[in-house]
Amino acid sequence: MNVAVLASGTGTNLQALLDRVHRREGVAIVAVASDKADAPALDRARAAGVPASSFPLDQFADRRARDLAIADWLASRATELVVLAGYMQLLSGEFLGRFPDRVINVHPALLPAFPGLAAVDQALAYGVKVFGVTVHFVDGGVDSGPVILQRAIELPDARDAGEVLERLHPIEHELLPEAVRLIARGAVSFDPANARRVVIER
Ligand code: GRF
């Protein structure tokens, strides 16, 4: 399965994919794209010999044109699954239509709680005692698509977002490669009785 990764930032989740699933179990990361020309994620891709390209908004007429350019590039690399790994832009409906049920995202909260930006800050402000990570399909909303994998961690005394993220990152680095592995194996489907419910064949 040819996988493309979109990332805006440091790319530790991209690194986990490169280290744990790339060129294994029938998975190949074939492209890494970013909205930011200086995203460290692009360097990680190049270091692993994976084609990397940036698509800054100011080089396009608008977001729609940018998304179409990304979609065209990914399609030219025969992409079958798009993984958002810290990609900080919303994707247009047209982009999603090019990869139906084939775009996934990792989010540092137990969705549907705390979607959107600064999820850990939201969770801390709410005072939750249990934090977690969600890997989900991407639909037209903000972090609203069907859940593939989730894992919780109890941090009853947490006060600092940086410290919580430090605990969540290793979980993300396990769950995201696991989701890619499962999809590549054909083990992920939708419950015919409830399309929101993802069924995993283990
Ligand atoms: C992760 O915390 C992920 O949950 C969120 O963006 C962050 C990306 O981190 N969507 P990194 O760039 O992979 O280190």
Side-chain angles (χ1 to χ4, degrees), residues 17-143:
L17 291 166
L18 289 167
D19 293 344
R20 296 181 175 196
V21 288
H22 182 43
R23 298 197 183 119
R24 288 183 209 189
E25 298 178 58
V27 174
I29 299 179
V30 295
V32 173
S34 182
D35 55 316
K36 295 206 165 60
D38 58 355
L42 295 170
D43 300 325
R44 293 179 189 269
R46 292 184 186 115
V50 174
S53 190
S54 65
F55 297 81
L57 190 54
D58 60 11
Q59 290 180 13
F60 299 90
D62 53 23
R63 279 169 188 279
R64 185 177 159 271
R66 190 254 302 272
D67 282 6
L68 285 177
I70 299 175
D72 284 344
W73 186 57
L74 301 191
S76 78
R77 310 277 316 143
T79 296
E80 298 168 281
L81 178 73
V82 181
V83 177
L84 309 187
Y87 187 63
M88 303 308 284
Q89 305 287 326
L90 285 179
L91 290 164
S92 66
E94 270 167 309
F95 180 98
L96 297 175
R98 295 279 292 273
F99 305 96
D101 294 334
R102 278 293 175 270
V103 183
I104 68 172
N105 181 44
V106 58
H107 184 73
L110 294 171
L111 293 170
F114 315 122
L117 294 175
V120 170
D121 294 295
Q122 292 182 55
L124 280 169
Y126 196 92
V128 299
K129 306 299 184 200
V130 178
F131 296 76
V133 169
T134 304
V135 178
H136 63 94
F137 284 108
V138 174
D139 64 9
V142 176
D143 300 321

